[in-house]
Structure formats: C-alpha cells, structure tokens
Amino acid sequence: MKIDVLTLFPELFDVFRRWSIISRAIEQDILSLNTINIRDFSHDKHKRVDDYPFGGGPGMVMRPEPIDRAISSIRTEDSVVIYLSPQGRTHDQQLANALSEKEHLILLCGHYEGVDSRVVDNLVDMEVSIGDYVLTGGEIPALVLIESVIRLLPGTLASEESYIDESHYDGILEHNQYTRPRSFKGFNVPEVLLSGDHGRIAKWRKYSALKNTYIKRPDLLEGIDLAEEEADMLSRIMRELEKEE
Ligand code: ADE
C-alpha cells in the first residue's frame, strides 16, 4: 500500500515513520509512506497557501490551487483521496478494514479554518472525521487513520490473530485478558483459563467478549447478528446481571 500525506507540517510524521509497527511495514515493503508539503505547490512568491475568507470572518482558508496541484502530482486511477475534517463520516473499524484493501491513499490535512470548499466538493473522494471534537489540523487524524489501516495489512503484525481477536474487529469488544500472577491482591484469574481445556476457554472468551460489550457498549450489539449459541449466552449474561442488581 502507498500512502501520501499532503500537509503543511511534514516533520510531524518523521517520528511516526521510525516507530516500530510502521517502520517494520516500511522495511518489509508492505507500506510506502510519503509526505508532501502543500507549500511546495504554491506559486506565490512568499509560498503562501492560505487567504482571507470571501464574505469576511475570522481565520484563513487554504486556497484550492496548491492543493489541486499537489493532488494531481500523485493521483492515479487507484487513488482514494481523503480529506480529514470534523465534518466527515466518523472513522471506525469497518472503514479501516475497507481502506486496508486500497492500493493508494492520499490523505489531505487541512489547517486554519479548513480548505476552500471547492476542494472538498470536487477533488476529494471521502471526508473522514476521527470524532466529534475539533483539532487544529488534520495531521493527528491522519496518523490515527494510518495506524488503524496499516496494522491490518498482512505481515504488519506478528500474526493475523493479533487483530482478529481484538475489540471491534467482528463488531463486539474483546474478552478479558489476564497474565501472571494468578492471584493479585486477592483477585484471582478465572479458573477456566488455567484448565488447559481449549474448548472451554474459547467458550469463556466468547462469553467474556459478549459481557464486556453488553456492559460497556450495548449499542454495538444492536448492529450485529448473533449466532444462536451467542444469543443464548447473551440472555444468560443479562439474567445474571439482573440477579446481581
Ligand atoms: N480536523 C480537525 N478536527 C478533526 C477531526 N475531529 N477529525 C478529522 N479531522 C479533523
């Protein structure tokens, strides 16, 4: 996969590129991650990329021409151009999964009051937000999106299991995890995990995953079709929790 980030602050990505998971993906040729400084595409003699908003008001708006030139310099038929913005669709695991299948992502990071709307309307394939709050620029959202996507690329993580078992991968949260010691301040690891019985352990993990989801994020259960065994487990969990109250 190739990812090009269009930004006014390319240096923000330097540390990230050397960071273990990403550097491994780059070294193994799974990923090519490039930053492109939008300022390099300004024809202004002072390399300015922003201007006052028509109609007045505070702040500056990024002009469309340097962004257009920057995108045109790298866009191919296989590219997906994504503008990071609080107005976009909210990023989630499903979108990360879908984007991990693409060959080339172009991530446009805005600044100031954002980019000229003609860019969003005519040059961009998708507008993505990382949540309902406002950040100063699209760089951190771009990093969030990049990490969520590249960890799904085959070879990036140690084994496929590492993400298949995780929260959100199959629409629900992950089961509880324990390591040594067996007893910590009087709190014990569930006995079944020490039993060596893989069938029972798998069942317990499903139970624990459903319980976590029901308690912490019940909204996630509305969107998924549970198998009969899982639906039975969930009913049991609900009865047990009612009794505890
Ligand atoms: N730029 C500023 N805030 C943002 C957000 N919440 N998501 C994506 N891009 C942004």
Side-chain angles (χ1 to χ4, degrees):
M1 172 180 275
K2 187 165 180 242
I3 301 181
D4 286 305
V5 185
L6 308 185
T7 170
L8 293 173
F9 301 95
E11 61 280 5
L12 278 176
F13 293 81
D14 291 346
V15 174
F16 194 66
R17 224 192 251 103
R18 294 197 300 271
W19 187 43
S20 65
I21 231 196
I22 285 91
S23 74
R24 207 183 321 139
I26 294 171
E27 270 164 28
Q28 294 180 359
D29 271 343
I30 294 167
L31 172 73
S32 137
L33 175 61
N34 312 299
T35 45
I36 290 167
N37 194 333
I38 298 168
R39 212 173 285 286
D40 293 342
F41 291 84
S42 167
H43 288 176
D44 181 278
K45 69 173 184 274
H46 303 293
K47 292 279 170 207
R48 275 183 52 183
V49 290
D50 59 323
D51 215 325
Y52 297 99
F54 279 125
M60 303 293 269
V61 177
M62 285 173 73
R63 292 175 58 123
E65 314 97 303
I67 296 174
D68 180 34
R69 286 184 212 110
I71 292 176
S72 300
S73 75
I74 47 171
R75 186 176 215 160
T76 71
E77 275 183 5
D78 296 322
S79 311
V80 181
V81 182
I82 298 172
Y83 173 48
L84 284 312
S85 133
Q87 293 191 15
R89 69 161 275 191
T90 309
H91 190 46
D92 60 15
Q93 192 61 49
Q94 232 178 338
L95 182 58
N97 294 349
L99 293 177
S100 73
E101 309 276 326
K102 305 289 180 194
E103 303 228 329
H104 183 206
L105 304 181
I106 299 175
L107 307 182
L108 172 61
C109 305
H111 257 268
Y112 316 114
E113 289 301 304
V115 305
D116 185 292
S117 290
R118 289 165 293 183
V119 168
V120 187
D121 293 341
N122 303 295
L123 304 179
V124 161
D125 298 311
M126 196 187 286
E127 208 175 347
V128 175
S129 163
I130 61 159
D132 290 341
Y133 42 84
V134 176
L135 302 170
T136 315
E139 281 76 12
I140 288 172
L143 290 171
V144 168
L145 189 139
I146 292 169
E147 204 208 311
S148 70
V149 168
I150 65 165
R151 60 198 306 290
L152 300 172
L153 302 178
T156 306
L157 295 185
S159 81
E160 245 197 327
E161 264 178 40
S162 335
Y163 64 77
I164 283 177
D165 254 7
E166 277 169 354
S167 290
H168 298 296
Y169 183 77
D170 55 5
I172 64 172
L173 302 183
E174 196 189 1
H175 54 77
N176 282 3
Q177 295 274 22
Y178 300 91
T179 184
R180 285 191 287 190
R182 286 179 179 209
S183 182
F184 167 70
K185 295 189 168 181
F187 300 109
N188 296 331
V189 172
E191 210 43 53
V192 51
L193 298 179
L194 313 173
S195 69
D197 181 336
H198 296 298
R200 273 183 67 215
I201 291 173
K203 241 188 199 155
W204 180 87
R205 285 188 165 154
K206 180 57 76 182
Y207 169 89
S208 168
L210 284 168
K211 188 168 176 180
N212 278 342
T213 312
Y214 181 69
I215 293 172
K216 299 178 193 178
R217 288 292 305 277
D219 56 301
L220 294 177
L221 291 168
E222 280 160 28
I224 57 166
D225 266 334
L226 293 179
E228 201 180 316
E229 191 194 356
E230 294 170 339
D232 288 346
M233 250 179 203
L234 184 59
S235 310
R236 198 175 103 211
I237 291 164
M238 289 156 94
R239 281 197 305 275
E240 283 168 3
L241 288 170
E242 252 170 44
K243 251 190 243 155
E244 276 173 28
E245 270 170 14

